[in-house]
Amino acid sequence: SYSRKDIKDAKWIHSSLEKFHIPTKLPRAADAEPIPKPLRCFRDINDLDVMPESFVKGIENALGSSKYLIVVCSPNSAQSATDGNHYVDWEIQKFIEVHGLEYAKNHILPVIIAGEISHNSKKSECLPPSLYKLGDDFLTHNFPILDYGDENTLTKDAKNDFILKILAFLLQVKYSVLNDRYRRAQRKRRQFILGAAISLVAVFALISVYAGFGWKRANKNLAFAHYTQANSLLEKGETDYALSYYKKSLQLDENPVVRDKVYNLITNGS
């Protein structure tokens, strides 16, 4: 559940949750429900006030069939819309109505992307009103908070940490355990990519060496052809043409026999 003003954040949170590769064999309670792979998260994409009654009914059904409700909290979601309606709060109330108050206390997760939990400031308040009805014990939970850091910049690590905290709640595992498994998986992935890159470089190096040997062999063959032609011309007495072919052969292959031939032709004319 989210305010339409926060749709950009809601989109990447939704996408990150569904794309997350859940580690296998996570230490979980014996009575924990099986983990669906991939995770499926319902997110309505239109304002309720412009939707037909069937759409509203569809959201009610989705809330009823959902095990958890993630509430994207910000000053936008804490306040009513300009028409006086409060759509985020409406969804919270419906979830409580369908599942019961006690169930809701353990299955609603506020995730804070902006603002703060504050009874005193409507401007910075981030929790919709109905969340306060879940009691003080609920409000003392360690809700995931999107950390923009000292420079007010949202980093990739901050987003990953935020998603991991949400997933720890949904998967019923400790955050420290999930974070450790995630970091190990990332290290293995980087090692695999590095290994693949090194292998690729080695293959290209072998190809280059092979190509180099092939090119050298081709030069030797062409040099020998020029040398043979030069000998034939020399036998016919065409010294100048012979010298030209000897030089071509020498440019392709530094053969000492050819070099001596060129030297003798230049100095002695034979």
Side-chain angles (χ1 to χ4, degrees), residues 1-68:
S1 182
Y2 62 97
S3 165
R4 297 311 176 272
K5 294 179 182 179
D6 297 325
I7 190 169
K8 184 178 179 180
D9 286 301
K11 281 183 176 180
W12 73 257
I13 293 171
H14 176 250
S15 175
S16 298
L17 290 173
E18 290 203 331
K19 291 180 180 179
F20 187 84
H21 182 72
I22 300 172
T24 57
K25 299 180 180 179
L26 286 170
R28 306 170 71 230
D31 58 348
E33 296 182 16
I35 299 173
K37 297 182 179 181
L39 287 176
R40 299 300 300 167
C41 303
F42 172 81
R43 177 176 67 86
D44 62 282
I45 58 175
N46 295 288
D47 287 326
L48 299 182
D49 58 332
V50 297
M51 288 295 102
E53 185 179 344
S54 58
F55 181 82
V56 176
K57 189 64 178 177
I59 291 182
E60 291 179 342
N61 292 337
L63 289 169
S65 61
S66 295
K67 182 178 179 181
Y68 294 100

Side-chain angles (χ1 to χ4, degrees), residues 142-203:
N142 188 21
F143 302 136
I145 300 175
L146 194 57
D147 184 7
Y148 280 81
D150 295 335
E151 298 180 1
N152 198 32
T153 301
L154 183 59
T155 65
K156 182 179 180 181
D157 284 343
K159 293 174 75 172
N160 285 339
D161 187 66
F162 185 70
I163 292 299
L164 285 171
K165 288 177 180 177
I166 297 174
L167 284 165
F169 177 83
L170 299 178
L171 302 177
Q172 303 171 47
V173 297
K174 291 182 178 180
Y175 163 75
S176 58
V177 172
L178 187 60
N179 183 54
D180 179 65
R181 293 289 296 274
Y182 172 76
R183 301 300 174 190
R184 277 192 283 168
Q186 289 295 97
R187 285 195 295 271
K188 287 183 180 180
R189 183 173 179 271
R190 285 194 292 267
Q191 290 170 356
F192 173 80
I193 292 173
L194 179 60
I198 292 173
S199 299
L200 193 60
V201 169
V203 169

Side-chain angles (χ1 to χ4, degrees), residues 25-167:
K25 299 180 180 179
L26 286 170
R28 306 170 71 230
D31 58 348
E33 296 182 16
I35 299 173
K37 297 182 179 181
L39 287 176
R40 299 300 300 167
C41 303
F42 172 81
R43 177 176 67 86
D44 62 282
I45 58 175
N46 295 288
D47 287 326
L48 299 182
D49 58 332
V50 297
M51 288 295 102
E53 185 179 344
S54 58
F55 181 82
V56 176
K57 189 64 178 177
I59 291 182
E60 291 179 342
N61 292 337
L63 289 169
S65 61
S66 295
K67 182 178 179 181
Y68 294 100
L69 176 63
I70 298 172
V71 184
V72 179
C73 297
S74 74
N76 294 323
S77 59
Q79 298 171 13
S80 301
T82 54
D83 61 2
N85 292 315
H86 201 312
Y87 304 111
V88 176
D89 207 58
W90 177 86
E91 291 179 342
I92 296 170
Q93 291 175 21
K94 285 295 178 182
F95 189 85
I96 295 172
E97 180 183 313
V98 172
H99 294 283
L101 184 62
E102 291 305 313
Y103 181 94
K105 287 180 180 180
N106 297 312
H107 292 81
I108 291 180
L109 178 66
V111 297
I112 301 172
I113 62 169
E116 59 185 355
I117 300 174
S118 172
H119 293 278
N120 302 321
S121 174
K122 289 186 177 181
K123 187 176 181 180
S124 62
E125 174 62 65
C126 68
L127 295 187
S130 289
L131 291 182
Y132 282 102
K133 297 177 182 178
L134 296 178
D136 293 337
D137 289 343
F138 174 82
L139 297 175
T140 58
H141 289 172
N142 188 21
F143 302 136
I145 300 175
L146 194 57
D147 184 7
Y148 280 81
D150 295 335
E151 298 180 1
N152 198 32
T153 301
L154 183 59
T155 65
K156 182 179 180 181
D157 284 343
K159 293 174 75 172
N160 285 339
D161 187 66
F162 185 70
I163 292 299
L164 285 171
K165 288 177 180 177
I166 297 174
L167 284 165

Side-chain angles (χ1 to χ4, degrees), residues 235-264:
E235 289 176 0
K236 295 176 182 179
E238 299 182 14
T239 305
D240 291 340
Y241 285 119
L243 182 60
S244 174
Y245 275 94
Y246 280 133
K247 288 181 177 178
K248 287 181 180 180
S249 176
L250 199 59
Q251 288 173 350
L252 294 170
D253 182 23
E254 289 286 339
N255 190 314
V257 174
V258 180
R259 186 168 57 247
D260 290 344
K261 284 277 190 180
V262 171
Y263 177 78
N264 289 331

